[in-house]
Amino acid sequence: MATFDAKARKARLRLALAGAAAVTVLVGGGVLALSLLDNDDTAGQPDAKTPSSAAPSTSQSSTAAPSKVFTPAEAPRIPILKPRTNAEGIGTGFPATALGATSAAVTYWEDLDLLDDVIARKQWTAIAAKDSPATIDQGVTEVRKVREGVGLPPSGGTPDGITFSTTVKAALVRSLDKSGDVIDVWMVYDRYATIRDKGADENPLRDEVTNLILKWDGTDWKVTTEAQYTAKVKGPRAYDPASKYAWAEGWRVVSGG
């Protein structure tokens, strides 16, 4: 996950707790630009094929000419699959396809707790790859940094009267290996705060960008922060729903499953 997102959360939470307006932060990160979703013909199917058979080769993606040029806003939306299971308050259980990986990333990002480090640890433990234990500590550390940044003790629950919701609007997927078992999912999202007696956030964080690297473990997609994969990550072209270049880069609007 992108470290710059922690800065965005910290700034936003500080302002939310103060009842003030939001700030906006932008980004960078990915590798091997493979348009996996457009060729994922198993959308909505729980018994999807394995990543290795779903991922196109680099040569295919570089030579295949699209029959029509779209913008993300014009192109068909990517349906986000619903999780088949739930662990520690976070949706889990996604098929072994590019769409499954995208659905996992979107679900994880929208379900993760932002301020309760105890809940966050349980959630990260549920979705972190077994060979990437540092992912758990990193996730919990970021939550604690946010807490300290808004004047809360390092450990504890979410203050009463404050709730947050995250909505992912667009995603871009890239394979980080030839098998398709490791996928980098970039997401554009909005985050809203609701404060008791003050109503909904009038200036939410909008168009924030982050990424999660997901690794297929034989049963589900798990988050990894292993150096061998993070070293391959490069930033995609900025997302713009009206840009044909953003569409060509691989950005797709997502819709709830």
Side-chain angles (χ1 to χ4, degrees), residues 1-3 5-7 9-11 13-14 17 109 111-124 135-159 164 191:
M1 58 195 149
T3 56
D5 186 71
K7 296 179 181 179
R9 290 202 312 269
K10 179 177 178 179
L13 291 170
R14 181 187 296 115
L17 288 171
W109 199 245
D111 286 357
L112 281 166
D113 196 285
L114 302 177
L115 277 180
D116 190 317
D117 65 314
V118 174
I119 293 177
R121 178 172 292 280
K122 292 179 180 179
Q123 290 181 325
W124 279 108
T135 299
I136 302 170
D137 292 335
Q138 180 177 330
V140 174
T141 296
E142 294 302 333
V143 171
R144 289 176 174 170
K145 287 180 180 178
V146 170
R147 291 181 58 84
E148 292 179 323
V150 296
L152 296 173
S155 180
T158 301
F164 292 90
R191 180 160 288 158

Side-chain angles (χ1 to χ4, degrees), residues 69-210:
V69 175
F70 291 98
T71 66
E74 297 170 337
R77 296 191 173 198
I78 299 302
I80 297 302
L81 306 177
K82 293 181 179 180
R84 290 175 289 184
T85 53
N86 186 286
E88 304 297 346
I90 194 165
T92 55
F94 297 93
T97 62
L99 180 59
T102 304
S103 299
V106 170
T107 298
Y108 296 165
W109 199 245
E110 291 185 341
D111 286 357
L112 281 166
D113 196 285
L114 302 177
L115 277 180
D116 190 317
D117 65 314
V118 174
I119 293 177
R121 178 172 292 280
K122 292 179 180 179
Q123 290 181 325
W124 279 108
T125 299
I127 65 174
K130 291 182 179 178
D131 52 2
S132 184
T135 299
I136 302 170
D137 292 335
Q138 180 177 330
V140 174
T141 296
E142 294 302 333
V143 171
R144 289 176 174 170
K145 287 180 180 178
V146 170
R147 291 181 58 84
E148 292 179 323
V150 296
L152 296 173
S155 180
T158 301
D160 186 40
I162 298 177
T163 58
F164 292 90
S165 62
T166 301
T167 301
V168 175
K169 302 189 295 186
L172 178 153
V173 296
R174 292 172 169 177
S175 178
L176 295 185
D177 69 352
K178 293 183 179 179
S179 71
D181 290 337
V182 183
I183 294 180
D184 185 22
V185 182
W186 283 88
M187 296 171 282
V188 175
Y189 66 96
D190 294 340
R191 180 160 288 158
Y192 302 82
T194 300
I195 306 172
R196 183 182 298 165
D197 300 328
K198 293 186 179 181
D201 191 351
E202 295 182 354
N203 291 288
L205 275 181
R206 293 188 184 277
D207 298 323
E208 294 298 303
V209 181
T210 193

